[in-house]
């Protein structure tokens, strides 16, 4: 496979000013599966965090350049090719947003993005 993609297929399930629920279809030709790992590909945590920042910016107009930390970060269950995963992004405060990835397989990852309040 050489036609790699960098983002999942994304469908907005629910959205308000303070939250967005996305359904992500994880394609087999996702670039991040290359070398991670050849016989049993799994989605790296760094890709999951990249998507959190991308979708916070896109759907909740968050300036992720102001991110100073990711708190309470947990990776519980691996994400494999062809999984459908829900990503819930919620504003907790002006400078804090929670995220969680879940599917029929359980809770995959969660955490909080903290922004500089300046």
């Amino acid at each position: 496979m050489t036609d790699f993609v960098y983002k999942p297929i994304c469908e907005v399930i629910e959205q308000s000013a303070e939250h967005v629920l996305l359904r992500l279809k994880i394609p087999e030709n996702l670039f991040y599966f290359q070398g991670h790992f050849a016989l049993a590909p799994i989605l790296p945590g760094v890709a999951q965090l990249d998507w959190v920042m991308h979708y916070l910016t896109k759907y909740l107009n968050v300036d992720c350049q102001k991110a100073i930390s990711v708190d309470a970060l947990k990776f519980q269950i691996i994400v494999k090719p062809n999984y459908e995963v829900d990503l819930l992004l919620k504003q907790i405060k002006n400078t804090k947003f929670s995220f969680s990835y879940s599917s029929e397989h359980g809770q995959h990852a969660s955490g909080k993005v903290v922004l500089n309040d300046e």
Side-chain angles (χ1 to χ4, degrees), residues 24-84:
L24 307 178
K25 295 178 183 172
I26 313 300
E28 287 183 347
N29 64 334
L30 190 69
F31 174 80
Y32 304 112
F33 289 135
Q34 305 313 302
H36 202 263
F37 299 92
L39 298 177
I42 62 172
L43 183 63
V46 69
Q48 294 177 52
L49 285 175
D50 178 61
W51 295 349
V52 165
M53 300 302 186
H54 172 76
Y55 293 123
L56 278 172
T57 301
K58 183 173 182 174
Y59 293 107
L60 296 179
N61 298 312
V62 174
D63 181 0
C64 288
Q65 296 293 322
K66 294 183 178 183
I68 56 172
S69 68
V70 178
D71 295 348
L73 180 60
K74 296 178 186 161
F75 295 103
Q76 294 103 332
I77 298 174
I78 61 174
V79 177
K80 297 180 181 181
N82 298 315
Y83 275 21
E84 281 194 10

Side-chain angles (χ1 to χ4, degrees), residues 10-24 51-52 54-62 86-91 97-100:
C10 179
E11 175 187 357
V12 176
I13 303 299
E14 193 177 292
Q15 185 175 11
S16 75
E18 294 84 26
H19 85 281
V20 64
L21 176 61
L22 305 171
R23 175 132 324 123
L24 307 178
W51 295 349
V52 165
H54 172 76
Y55 293 123
L56 278 172
T57 301
K58 183 173 182 174
Y59 293 107
L60 296 179
N61 298 312
V62 174
D86 289 346
L87 172 58
L88 177 61
L89 302 170
K90 290 196 304 190
Q91 183 172 10
F97 297 81
S98 68
F99 66 88
S100 65

